[in-house]
Amino acid sequence: MSIRVGIYGYGNLGRGVELAIGQNEDMTAVGVFTRRAPESVKTLTGIPVYAVSEIEKWKNEIDVLILCGGSSTDLPEQTPQMAKLFNVVDSFDTHAKIPEHLKAVEEAAKSAGKTAMISAGWDPGMFSLARLYGGAVLPEGNDYTFWGKGVSQGHSDAIRRIEGVADSKQYTIPVESALERVRKGENPVLTTREKHVRECFVVAKAGADKTRIENEIKTMPNYFADYDTIVHFISQEELNEKHAGLPHGGVVIRSGETGNGNKHVIEYSLKLDSNAEFTSSVLVACARAVYRLQKEGIFGAKTLFDVPPVYLSPKTREEVIAKLL
Amino acid sequence: MSIRVGIYGYGNLGRGVELAIGQNEDMTAVGVFTRRAPESVKTLTGIPVYAVSEIEKWKNEIDVLILCGGSSTDLPEQTPQMAKLFNVVDSFDTHAKIPEHLKAVEEAAKSAGKTAMISAGWDPGMFSLARLYGGAVLPEGNDYTFWGKGVSQGHSDAIRRIEGVADSKQYTIPVESALERVRKGENPVLTTREKHVRECFVVAKAGADKTRIENEIKTMPNYFADYDTIVHFISQEELNEKHAGLPHGGVVIRSGETGNGNKHVIEYSLKLDSNAEFTSSVLVACARAVYRLQKEGIFGAKTLFDVPPVYLSPKTREEVIAKLL
């Protein structure tokens, strides 16, 4: 019996989910639900496209709906709404608003007898797990999270909003010397500036004042002002050719001590060619967990912290205990 | 309300558990239970020592008993026996016999309304979790586990059994070039010899034939014959001075692909000054999980695969969701 998965939204994440379902033999993609005109959307693997307005009709045809919208306006509304009709998974990643989102989804899912997983992906998600396990097994220690090297879409967008900028790509890069100090167990206190560098590739419009653009980038509050920022002006052709991908990744380190000053360093790292496809792949594994939990009568809003790891695996408990433990 | 923990056995692991309990504010060490004469055992922190033969009297005074014996003869007998009386945690690490051990412990614990966690530590344990999560989120890919650099006690012991050897320490070392190929996402097929090197520091007895000893080490089946092995003869003083510790560690890598050939590499690594103290620290976090599961009426034999991560943390669910997710 295949788990029937619906995809709500068809941007990078939705396409990634479609492809990831194809890598999991116990799952079938039912279709994509879009706010656009369905006939205007072509899916990568040919799965059907439907209008979101009709989604309620699919109540009994979908086991888990994966929500592929954005965290700022889509998910706060869509996840609680859909959790009344379906088991759902989302990648809500506005860290500060997670408790609020969890509460809204909990109320919707619980009363409907549905199960929802929120904030799945890699951060929040796999990185959160690394932080939780690290702190549990090394209670005296410090957590460090470094992001990159990778493309930050929010920062790339912020640069594109500056007057005179035609296009842009921003890479977040961990400061190698800081990373080395943490890996050695020095437990340094690091400022924002000491942890990451921001490198920007910018295409200026013809005749634009590059000095002003560079200055506006480097002094932009929240986004760049607290960092050492490097700005390169390049042509649109070079940007398209050398900076087309959306790689990302990062490192979570727990550095702690036991006994009489024995040091231990736990490091969890990701090197991802495609940020969206990896996130999608995590969402699909979480869809399996949500499906199983709901079958067992465990309803409401969950996070990766709440789910026994074995629920994520396509293998049986006996198999993972025999082969992976 | 503190979780009252008993320690069964007082070798390196038992001492590590005693120290780790002191790092967890929600726990109290009730005492050590030993097969030796209790008055002959001095504990590091002054906790009391009792005879194992009296342990049944402690049935209502201990919330979780951590079993600190060895996997070859102690745990197969002790864990099922103790699981009839107490919630228990062990570090059973004979991978091939885990299913059999799980079954024996399941039968004992389930019928007694107790909860048992088996095979906790780092491998099996944290490394197993890395393998399970890695495979779940990257279903098309390969698993790699490298151990070291670290002291293998079994291999050190094997060398000491050779005639003419006074003392010895053996380090397992990952082959850096193999590790690099895996990190690059090459997905190589690696033989035993290509993955690890074994480096041995040996103290020969006066007049012993070093050539014969070296040859016996290098050709020892299972332990050394399949590896490139380096043998150094040193003095007992140098061994005591430079090779006193029991560091260990290693790396679990999941290398996989999504979509149209996008590569992703997940790496989980441990660098441990003290193998035993880190293992103990994991056992103590697992004791917390076992205590909570039993309170909720979830009985029987569990592994880290079966436990929601939040059960391991000293923090509340609300706190970890707000701060670590």
Side-chain angles (χ1 to χ4, degrees):
Chain A
M1 246 269 316
S2 199
I3 304 172
R4 301 165 300 171
V5 181
I7 303 168
Y8 188 121
Y10 200 64
N12 284 336
L13 212 53
R15 281 189 285 270
V17 167
E18 181 187 4
L19 296 173
I21 291 169
Q23 292 189 314
N24 288 278
E25 286 177 12
D26 57 346
M27 301 204 180
T28 312
V30 172
V32 165
F33 294 84
T34 181
R35 287 173 293 192
R36 294 179 264 170
E39 62 278 10
S40 72
V41 177
K42 270 257 162 299
T43 56
L44 292 170
T45 64
I47 59 168
V49 183
Y50 306 104
V52 153
S53 56
E54 313 233 305
I55 202 166
E56 200 161 345
K57 293 184 192 159
W58 293 84
K59 216 173 146 8
N60 299 316
E61 318 300 324
I62 289 173
D63 294 314
V64 187
L65 183 68
I66 301 183
L67 299 164
C68 300
S71 294
S72 55
T73 58
D74 298 336
L75 299 176
E77 195 181 294
Q78 291 167 5
T79 313
Q81 201 181 352
M82 288 299 121
K84 289 177 189 160
L85 300 168
F86 301 97
N87 299 314
V88 297
V89 177
D90 82 15
S91 64
F92 185 78
D93 66 358
T94 312
H95 289 262
K97 292 187 176 168
I98 287 174
E100 186 186 322
H101 187 58
L102 185 78
K103 190 161 172 280
V105 178
E106 169 77 11
E107 281 162 14
K110 195 106 183 186
S111 61
K114 299 295 178 189
T115 309
M117 165 95 78
I118 66 152
S119 301
W122 61 274
D123 197 358
M126 305 312 291
F127 271 19
S128 319
L129 285 173
R131 289 187 285 260
L132 178 69
Y133 280 119
V137 302
L138 286 179
E140 291 184 10
N142 292 298
D143 279 331
Y144 295 88
T145 302
F146 291 85
W147 294 275
K149 183 182 176 174
V151 174
S152 166
Q153 301 201 61
H155 287 75
S156 302
D157 290 346
I159 296 171
R160 275 192 290 268
R161 286 192 294 265
I162 294 174
E163 202 189 310
V165 171
D167 205 351
S168 155
K169 207 96 175 212
Q170 193 269 174
Y171 294 89
T172 304
I173 306 169
V175 174
E176 200 58 39
S177 58
L179 206 44
E180 280 314 307
R181 290 181 61 197
V182 173
R183 284 184 175 134
K184 276 186 200 151
E186 287 184 25
N187 285 298
V189 176
L190 299 167
T191 63
T192 298
R193 190 178 301 273
E194 286 169 327
K195 287 181 71 185
H196 296 95
V197 163
R198 297 200 175 276
E199 186 171 24
C200 315
F201 294 87
V202 181
V203 180
K205 289 182 183 162
D209 179 351
K210 292 182 180 173
T211 311
R212 176 189 52 80
I213 292 172
E214 180 164 346
N215 188 52
E216 280 194 36
I217 294 173
K218 290 184 169 176
T219 58
M220 195 185 297
N222 303 319
Y223 285 86
F224 294 99
D226 298 333
Y227 298 85
D228 287 337
T229 300
I230 303 157
V231 177
H232 308 279
F233 288 95
I234 61 173
S235 68
Q236 185 73 54
E237 292 67 41
E238 191 179 342
L239 192 83
N240 295 348
E241 196 186 308
K242 296 186 185 163
H243 305 282
L246 292 170
H248 219 313
V251 183
V252 172
I253 296 175
R254 178 73 179 180
S255 167
E257 276 191 25
T258 61
N260 203 0
N262 282 314
K263 291 186 176 191
H264 308 286
V265 178
I266 307 174
E267 178 167 342
Y268 181 83
S269 83
L270 295 173
K271 271 178 280 175
L272 313 173
D273 272 0
S274 164
N275 186 349
E277 283 183 12
F278 184 76
T279 302
S280 303
S281 205
V282 176
L283 293 179
V284 168
C286 291
R288 175 184 295 119
V290 157
Y291 173 78
R292 291 174 174 173
L293 288 169
Q294 200 257 355
K295 283 259 176 217
E296 295 183 7
I298 300 167
F299 308 140
K302 309 293 169 194
T303 70
L304 274 166
F305 292 165
D306 304 308
V307 177
V310 67
Y311 281 64
L312 297 167
S313 174
K315 300 188 168 76
T316 65
R317 177 173 186 250
E318 289 63 38
E319 211 176 340
V320 294
I321 287 175
K323 290 184 187 164
L324 300 178
L325 195 73
Chain B
M1 246 268 318
S2 200
I3 303 172
R4 300 166 301 172
V5 181
I7 303 168
Y8 188 121
Y10 200 64
N12 284 336
L13 213 52
R15 282 190 285 270
V17 167
E18 180 187 5
L19 295 173
I21 291 170
Q23 292 189 314
N24 288 278
E25 286 178 11
D26 57 346
M27 302 203 180
T28 312
V30 172
V32 165
F33 294 84
T34 180
R35 286 174 292 192
R36 294 179 264 170
E39 62 278 10
S40 72
V41 176
K42 270 258 162 299
T43 56
L44 293 171
T45 64
I47 59 167
V49 183
Y50 305 105
V52 153
S53 56
E54 313 232 305
I55 202 165
E56 201 161 345
K57 293 184 192 159
W58 292 83
K59 218 174 145 6
N60 299 317
E61 318 300 323
I62 289 173
D63 295 314
V64 187
L65 182 68
I66 301 183
L67 300 164
C68 300
S71 294
S72 55
T73 58
D74 298 336
L75 299 176
E77 195 181 295
Q78 291 167 5
T79 313
Q81 200 180 352
M82 288 298 122
K84 288 178 190 159
L85 300 168
F86 301 96
N87 298 313
V88 297
V89 177
D90 82 15
S91 63
F92 185 78
D93 66 358
T94 312
H95 289 262
K97 293 187 177 169
I98 287 174
E100 186 186 322
H101 187 58
L102 185 78
K103 190 161 172 280
V105 178
E106 169 77 11
E107 281 162 14
K110 195 103 183 188
S111 61
K114 299 293 179 190
T115 309
M117 165 95 79
I118 66 153
S119 301
W122 61 274
D123 197 357
M126 304 312 291
F127 271 18
S128 319
L129 285 172
R131 289 186 285 260
L132 178 69
Y133 280 119
V137 302
L138 285 179
E140 290 184 10
N142 291 298
D143 279 331
Y144 295 89
T145 302
F146 291 86
W147 295 276
K149 183 182 178 174
V151 174
S152 166
Q153 301 202 61
H155 287 75
S156 303
D157 291 346
I159 296 171
R160 275 192 290 267
R161 286 192 294 264
I162 293 174
E163 203 189 308
V165 172
D167 205 350
S168 155
K169 206 96 175 213
Q170 193 271 172
Y171 294 88
T172 304
I173 306 169
V175 174
E176 200 57 40
S177 58
L179 205 43
E180 281 313 308
R181 290 181 61 198
V182 174
R183 284 184 175 136
K184 276 188 201 150
E186 286 184 26
N187 285 298
V189 176
L190 298 167
T191 63
T192 298
R193 190 178 301 274
E194 286 169 326
K195 286 182 71 184
H196 296 95
V197 163
R198 297 201 175 275
E199 187 172 23
C200 315
F201 294 87
V202 182
V203 180
K205 289 181 182 162
D209 179 350
K210 291 181 181 173
T211 312
R212 176 189 54 78
I213 292 172
E214 180 165 346
N215 188 52
E216 281 193 36
I217 294 172
K218 290 184 170 176
T219 58
M220 195 186 296
N222 302 320
Y223 285 86
F224 295 99
D226 297 333
Y227 298 86
D228 287 338
T229 300
I230 303 157
V231 177
H232 309 278
F233 288 96
I234 62 173
S235 68
Q236 185 73 54
E237 292 67 40
E238 190 179 342
L239 192 82
N240 295 347
E241 196 185 307
K242 296 186 186 164
H243 304 282
L246 292 170
H248 219 312
V251 183
V252 172
I253 296 175
R254 178 72 180 179
S255 167
E257 276 191 24
T258 62
N260 202 0
N262 282 314
K263 291 186 175 191
H264 309 286
V265 178
I266 307 173
E267 178 167 342
Y268 181 83
S269 82
L270 294 173
K271 271 178 281 175
L272 313 173
D273 272 1
S274 164
N275 186 350
E277 283 183 12
F278 184 76
T279 301
S280 302
S281 205
V282 176
L283 294 179
V284 168
C286 291
R288 175 182 296 119
V290 158
Y291 173 77
R292 292 174 175 174
L293 288 168
Q294 201 257 356
K295 283 259 176 216
E296 295 182 6
I298 300 167
F299 307 141
K302 310 293 168 194
T303 70
L304 274 166
F305 292 165
D306 303 308
V307 177
V310 67
Y311 281 64
L312 298 166
S313 173
K315 300 189 169 76
T316 65
R317 178 173 185 250
E318 289 63 37
E319 211 176 340
V320 294
I321 287 175
K323 291 184 185 163
L324 301 178
L325 194 72

